Each structure stands twice: as structure tokens, then as C-alpha cells.
Amino acid sequence: TRLADGTPRRSIQLSNIVEQRIFDNNEIISTPKRSRSKLADDADYTPKKSTHKSPGRPRRMSTTGTSTKQKEDAPMTPSQKMKKIRAGELSPSMEQRHQQLDVGHKSQLQLAREQLHVSVVPKSLPCREKEFDNIYSFLEGKIQDQCGGCMYVSGVPGTGKTATVTGVIRTLQRLVEQDKLPAFEFLEINGMRLTEPRQAYVQIYKQLTGKTVSWEHAHSLLEKRFTTPAPRRLTTVLLVDELDILCNRRQDVVYNLLDWPTKSAAHLVVVTIANTMDLPERLLMGKVTSRLGLTRLTFQPYTHKQLQEIVTARLAGSEAFKGEAVQLVARKVAAVSGDARRALDICRRATEIADTGSEPTANAATKCVTMLHVQQALGEMIASAKVQAIKNCSRMEQIFLQAVAAEVTRTGVEETMFHGVYTQIETIATFMGVALPAPGRALNICSKLGAERLIICEHSRNDLFQKILLNVSPDDIHYALRVEGN
Amino acid sequence: EPEQPPLPSPPRNKYQNARRVLNSAETLNLPGREEQLQELREFFSSHLDTQTSGSLYVSGQPGTGKTACLSMLLRAPEYAQRLQRVYINCTSIASVGAVYKKLCMELQLKPTGRTERDHLEAIQRHLRKAKRMLLLVLDEIDQLSTTRQEVLYTIFEWPALPGARILLVGIANSLDLTDRALMRLNARCELKPRLMHFPPYTKPQIVEIFKSRLAEAQVLDVFPPVTLQLLAAKVSAVSGDVRRALDIGRRVVEIAEQQKCAGEKEFNMKALELDGPPAEETLKPVQVSQVAAVLNKVYGASQNLEEDIEEAFPLQQKLMLCSLVLMLRNERNKDISVGRLHEVYRRVCSKRNILALDQAEFAGTVDLVETRGILRVMRKKEPRLNKVLLQWDEEEVHAALSDKQLIASILSDTACLAK
């Protein structure tokens, strides 16, 4: 069958049951040895993205009929396999673990760490109720009215944009199941997952039908679908993440994605997400901005109170964290970016530090993350490695850095020439009583510091006249060297 | 499969009807564009009567109804007999040269080969001996513009082909595309396209559009005339783009509906207590204040930031912006690199006893502020050398930061600048 490219004999022995079970529901296979090799074959042509998320998918996955037909005709050639993949008849599967991991008793900290993982999206997002209502009423209105429209959602990374939008979609899908809302289709593309803007057509078409076709073909099919009226057309909600990646010079992809909703036959609602608040005015052409409309929503960075609420909601009654520890994380992160992912990551790091804490005698059950652990985690994550790097430089490199700083102070210009720096080195070296390096040696030092990015320098071929810029602040140099001196 | 009966749709109130009718999809009724439609009709019929070719270039700002007018005429039955009609949107072609292929498909021609040239020859053959006149509408024609302009010149030369009978209409936004991009057409008067401009909609026209749309669904009473006048005055003064006007109208209705629902909930709570009969459906027309609120939100881009921002502007970003303003105010050299800004920022922080971010983190902070549109960062080879340009003026920054004390203290602190 389909897996038997290398060793046909063995995989023919595989029972049909295995085959069907793979097709039916992506379940682990019970025969351990065989399944391993079999799935390893599978993994070879696994496309990057798992696609079983889209709601339109399960209908077409019921290909048991074809699979029973397949088992008569033995191994497939690679091109046959490719054909099946492009037709969406083989679902990409991943290799499974040989055995289920034996998860014993988990400590408080481990549980907290799992809960704090960024990928665990809570059922309801705290502190985003207003935005949720806003998007919900927009989409609900569009679905009830059965007309098209666009919305633009913006905000800095980690403020819950995608999570809120998908949360709204999930709520709406639940309403559809309860027959409280007309049914709709949900498609989703992400600009970053596309190698090229036009691949968006391929992805959209793939989510509609499961087939992979070339972008020209996909575009013409989509155009046909959205421009010709069909009486029982469902409303389609299209989520476009990372919109700014889809903008090329011609902006034809963005134009088409936003022009389809204006067709009365399309019933298409496009929700676009990007980071930049003024992207439509900054990057998009006038005609595209006009089509994007004025329904916009901005996600503000989280404040420290909100971050605290988010973390405590995740921990949900666990005793693993001290209250003030959470508060410290929230305040530090809110002062810089208001990024929830960062707060969660720092908290996770703090649990790890607490886990491998200094006192091994302490009972694992009573271990708790305190201010000190958080402080250490913050030090690691918001750390400046520059001072350490300067401290660990060799003596001559330190003198070189001092010389650059001195030359900058002397000339008042940030950009210095190598010969000026070398004169300063001469002075400092004489002052300190160290042997002066030859200019060739000094160039070596210079290029080493340049590779470390402590300074910015040109190629050393124009030796004496190469320009040198300091990449660290002069204060850092003084600080690092003074503390060591004492 | 058993046919499921469609969901019993709940009785729609007037708000929902108004919301649905204010969509920006195609319509058959185009008030405010009578003149242009008349001119287009005259152009078509004069060329139809004399059976001569002609080209036309239609320009205008986005949302002024160019495509709507032409697609209405393309569907008009009076031309169905006498004209073969083709509409091509130039953004939907794969590359500039592929427009011939698309046209061949639309005309159902059979080219001899598969190259661009074969397709072009097939079209020219068709043009020479076509029975009916061809009306070719090329929407968003500026997409066909390249450096050599081969394709555009070829297309605009078709009307002058001996024996060809083609009416060519190009649609684009820019007023002078034909002069700018197609200078050589000026040399021969028969090649030069006739120009036609769609001016932005005026205030009475927008009012007229709203009235006709609302009357279509018999929900004219949702919008009192005063609110319509206000909306139209604002939109026509800013852009005259009817898509925006309809967008704002729809938004107003949505908000009015939400507010009414909230009001009803309270009312019902009271009614429950009183055990009175449920109140009958009454329509509350939208208020001037509601329209004004939406307009302010839409058009006061930076002003309304301040209300959302409040405390949501992270402290380090505030300090960064204040340092930038301080430098711009006091230094003659406005060429500020991230490195220079970072130096000043560190001094500002140390004076205020706040832990300063290091350079790598600081560069990320600058990028986050850039997404708000307050700054622009010009990329250079090294992150430290990136140039920072302030995009707002200081007054706006002050308003956005809304922390007057901090700003005042930093801006008076010129000692941080000097070495």
C-alpha cells in the first residue's frame, strides 16, 4: 500500500485494520514495532502544517472507501503518492511515541509550569472582554445579515489578538451547533506561513476543498466561487493573520482578499490582524485602504494589573507562587512591553529555578516560587550581557575599548578612525605600564571586538583609516572596568 | 441528505434592515452619478452609431463609483445585442503580460500557440474581423504599468488598428496616468484616450445616496435628516469616498442598536418588578451625538488614542519618547540614532532612579512604539545606527502620554543631554 516504498514485503503484511484506523481517526496504532516503522515512512512526506484544524476538513477525510480499494494494487510510486497528497486523500500524520509516558504524581510546581505554558490557551481570555464583545457583535451581525465586510485588528505582539478572534469564532461555532445562528465556514491563513503572498490563494482553496492546486488555478477558482451567486452559499469567515507580510509591491493579493467581500455574491467576512496600528495608511494603496473600511480595533498592551490577573487565572488556586512574586513579574513586563507571552515565560523560568533551587533538603511538595526566584529569572531574561562580555575581555581588548571611548570623548564625534584610537592606546598603555601592541596586533584585536559586536568596525583592509564605532555605551565600559579595578 | 429547512430567522428590526442595506456591495441604483452615466452612454452610443473605435480613461479617487457605473452599463440590456462586453480586473492577472491570455479566455479565442505573442495575434485577428463591436473594460489599469509600458501601449493602440472596432475603457485612481505613463499617445490624436474624471461625492450627493438606500428598505426614519447632513458634511469634506460614508453609517446603526439593547435590558428589569405588559417595539432614531461620536473616533486618529492609552502605555516606552522629544527640542542635529537616544535615555532613567533597559531590549522597545505610528525607524546596517524619526508633533505626543508631570520633569532636564 501507500507506505511500502522501501520494503514492500513487510508492509504488505500490515493488516488492513491498521490502514483504516489511520484513515478514520488519527489514533495511535496498537502494534508497536510495525507501527513505528510505518509511521516513520509517513513522516517523510508530512507537510509542515497539520491541517485537521479547519472545520471543513473532517467531511472529506472519510476516505475509507478509497483505502480499501487501494490495498489490492500494491506499492505506490512517489508520483502516485504526491498525487494523493495533492488531492488531499492522504492525511499527513506524525510519528507517535513508542509508549505513552508514565506520568506519575506531579508536584505543585510542575502543574503550575504546565498551566503557565504559552500554548495553553484558556477557555476565556481574562481582561479582553471588551474586545471580545466588539469582534463578536461584528461577526454575529455579518453572519446574520449574510453580507460581507472587513475588519482590521491591530496591536503589539502578545496582547491576545489571535486568541481573542479564534475564541470568538469558537463561540460562534458553538452557537451554530445549537441552531441559534446560521451556519458559516471558517478559513484561516497566516502571512508568515506562506512562502509567497500568492500562496494565500492555494491555502484558502485547500481549506475549502482539501485539494492542492497551483496558485493561478486556485485564484481563478476562488474568483469564480466568490463572484458567481449561488443560492445556498454559506457565509465564509476568513481570518488573515500577519497582513503586512501579504503586501508586496503590486498589492494584488491584499486587494483581491479585500475586494471579494464587496461582491454581493461572496458572503465573505474578512478579519485581518497585524501589529502596526496605522498599517492601512502607511503601507497600503488608497484603493486597498478604502476597501478595508473603518471598522478597526486596537489591542492595547496589558497593564500590570491585567498581567497579574492573567497569571493568577492560569495558576487557578495553586499555591506554587507567592502573590508578590507574580506582582513583580507583572510590573516588570508591563513597564517594558505589556506582552503576556513574556510574563508567562518569565514565570515558567521562575518555576524551573525554584525546582532546581539551592536547598535540596526542602520537601518537593512545599516548594514555592518566591521573589528571589523571580528576580533571578528576570535577571536572566532582561539581562545585559554586555558588561559581562567587557569584563571577560583580555587586558589589551579592554585597553582598546577604553581607547575608543577616550577618542570619542576627545573628538566629540561618535565615529573614530583607527589611527586616532591607536594613539590613545599608546597613551593608555604607557600610563598603565603595559607593552604596546603593534598596529597589526591591534587590528586583530579590533576585528575580534567587531565580531563580538562590542564595536562596529569596517573591514580591516583599510587598516589605519578604518572607521570604528562603539556598540556599547561608554558608561558600560567605565562601569565594567571600574568595578573590576576595585 | 434530508433537506433541512432554513432556520426560522428572527423578526428583523429596523436597525438590522438599515445595517444590511448600507452595505458597500454593488447596486443597480446610482444616485449622484447621473451626469457621468449620461456621458458614458453618449460615448458608447456615438461610437456604436458611427461604428468607430474609441478609447476612454476613467479616473477618480477610490470609492467614487467608477466600477459601479461601468458594471451597471455592462449589464444594461440595450447594449447586449450590439456589443460584446468584457470586464477584466487587472489585479487578478498573474503578470502584466498575462492580460492577453485572460482576454483570449474571455473572448473564447483559440490562439495557435501558448506564448504571449500568439495570444496577442489571436486577439488582433479577432479585432480585425469581429462581427460585433467589443467593449473592453480594464479595471485598475495602473497595475499594467511597467517601465517600458509595452502592454499598455499595445492595448491603447488597438482602437487605431485598421478595421478594428473596439471601445476601450481603462479605470484607475490617478488623474494623469495617461499623460504620465503614456506620453507617446499624445503624438497622434486618434490614439489619445478621451479623459473622464469622477469627482469625489459632494455633501448633497452622499445624503441622496443614503436616502435612496434607506428608502429601499423603508427604514428612512432610522436616520433623521440632521444626522445625515452631519455625516455627509464630514465625509465629503475629508475624502468624498462613499465606501467610508456607508461604513460610518453602518457603524452608527450598530452602535445605536447596542445601546438600545442595553437600554432595553434595564427597562425589562424594571418591567419585571412592576409586572407590567412588555413594551411594544419602538424605534429610536439615531442621535446626532451618536454620529458625532463615531465620526470623532474615525477621523480623530491620534486624539482618540489618549483615551485608550491612559495607563496602557508602558513606562519605559514613555521614558523613551520623552527622551526623544527632549533631544529634538534641544539639539540642532535632528539626526538621532538609536545609540544616541539610548545614551540620553539611560541618563534620564538613572536620574529618576529607574532601572534602564540595555541596548538590545531598548531596540525592541523602539520597534513596539513604531507600531503605534509615533515613530519611524530607518533601518541601517547595525541596530545601533538605526535612525529614529518622530512622526507626530510634540503636542500630540504630550496628549498621548497623558503624564504631564513626567514629561515636564524630563523636558526641563537638559543636563541629561550634555556629556
Side-chain angles (χ1 to χ4, degrees), chain B residues 175-415:
Chain B
L175 193 60
D176 58 342
L177 180 90
T178 49
D179 296 339
R180 191 160 37 84
L182 303 169
M183 274 174 299
R184 293 206 304 255
L185 293 182
N186 290 333
R188 284 171 58 192
C189 286
E190 74 269 26
L191 285 179
K192 222 169 107 178
R194 184 168 153 189
L195 300 183
M196 186 170 165
H197 186 61
F198 274 57
Y201 282 106
T202 58
K203 180 180 157 193
Q205 283 172 333
I206 293 179
V207 172
E208 190 54 38
I209 290 169
F210 266 84
K211 277 190 178 157
S212 84
R213 292 241 177 166
L214 294 172
E216 205 176 289
Q218 293 149 4
V219 285
L220 200 52
D221 42 349
V222 173
F223 275 92
V226 188
T227 56
L228 278 186
Q229 296 281 342
L230 172 65
L231 199 159
K234 185 74 186 185
V235 174
S236 64
V238 176
S239 61
D241 176 348
V242 78
R243 276 198 207 104
R244 296 208 145 196
L246 291 171
D247 243 12
I248 294 170
R250 203 165 50 228
R251 192 94 198 111
V252 169
V253 177
E254 274 170 21
I255 285 172
E257 192 185 359
Q258 279 169 19
Q259 286 179 354
K260 193 185 164 224
C261 282
E264 262 175 12
K265 236 178 239 167
E266 270 172 38
F267 186 76
N268 282 346
M269 292 299 278
K270 277 181 198 160
L272 275 180
E273 285 166 14
L274 296 171
D275 278 335
E280 64 269 18
E281 180 79 13
T282 51
L283 179 87
K284 229 169 114 190
V286 298
Q287 313 285 318
V288 173
S289 59
Q290 286 169 333
V291 177
V294 173
L295 285 173
N296 275 341
K297 199 157 169 106
V298 166
Y299 284 114
S302 56
Q303 282 94 328
N304 67 45
L305 277 182
E306 49 188 297
E307 62 189 49
D308 309 334
I309 285 178
E310 287 164 51
E311 54 191 283
F313 210 99
L315 176 69
Q316 304 283 1
Q317 298 182 10
K318 274 188 197 173
L319 289 169
M320 192 269 285
L321 270 183
C322 288
S323 316
L324 181 62
V325 173
L326 173 72
M327 286 175 81
L328 285 174
R329 246 193 204 181
N330 292 303
E331 289 188 7
R332 206 181 300 155
N333 181 6
K334 308 290 181 203
D335 199 28
I336 294 173
S337 67
V338 172
R340 269 205 325 138
L341 179 60
H342 185 230
E343 297 291 294
V344 175
Y345 156 83
R346 276 169 62 119
R347 266 176 241 128
V348 167
C349 279
S350 67
K351 269 220 167 157
R352 302 213 153 39
N353 262 330
I354 299 169
L355 194 68
L357 300 174
D358 85 315
Q359 197 179 301
E361 194 87 11
F362 186 74
T365 311
V366 174
D367 285 346
L368 288 185
V369 178
E370 193 190 8
T371 66
R372 288 183 186 268
I374 306 177
L375 302 178
R376 232 185 66 217
V377 180
M378 272 167 61
R379 308 277 155 189
K380 291 278 153 67
K381 222 167 85 186
E382 294 282 336
R384 194 178 164 84
L385 306 182
N386 286 348
K387 291 272 177 300
V388 183
L389 304 170
L390 191 65
Q391 297 288 300
W392 290 5
D393 58 6
E394 275 176 35
E395 303 310 314
E396 282 179 306
V397 175
H398 284 205
L401 293 181
S402 71
D403 196 345
K404 300 275 169 7
Q405 251 181 334
L406 181 77
I407 303 172
S409 83
I410 292 181
L411 289 190
S412 62
D413 206 352
T414 43

Side-chain angles (χ1 to χ4, degrees), chain A residues 219-248:
Chain A
H219 172 252
S220 57
L221 289 169
L222 285 172
E223 184 115 333
K224 208 168 165 192
R225 179 190 154 96
F226 289 127
T227 48
T228 49
R232 297 178 67 83
R233 163 92 21 97
L234 293 179
T235 308
T236 314
V237 179
L238 171 65
L239 170 63
V240 182
D241 213 338
E242 313 284 358
L243 179 74
D244 40 348
I245 310 289
L246 290 179
C247 300
N248 45 6

Side-chain angles (χ1 to χ4, degrees), chain A residues 65-76:
Chain A
T66 36
S67 77
T68 42
K69 199 185 71 200
Q70 273 169 38
K71 67 192 167 188
E72 279 104 71
D73 44 38
M76 276 198 285

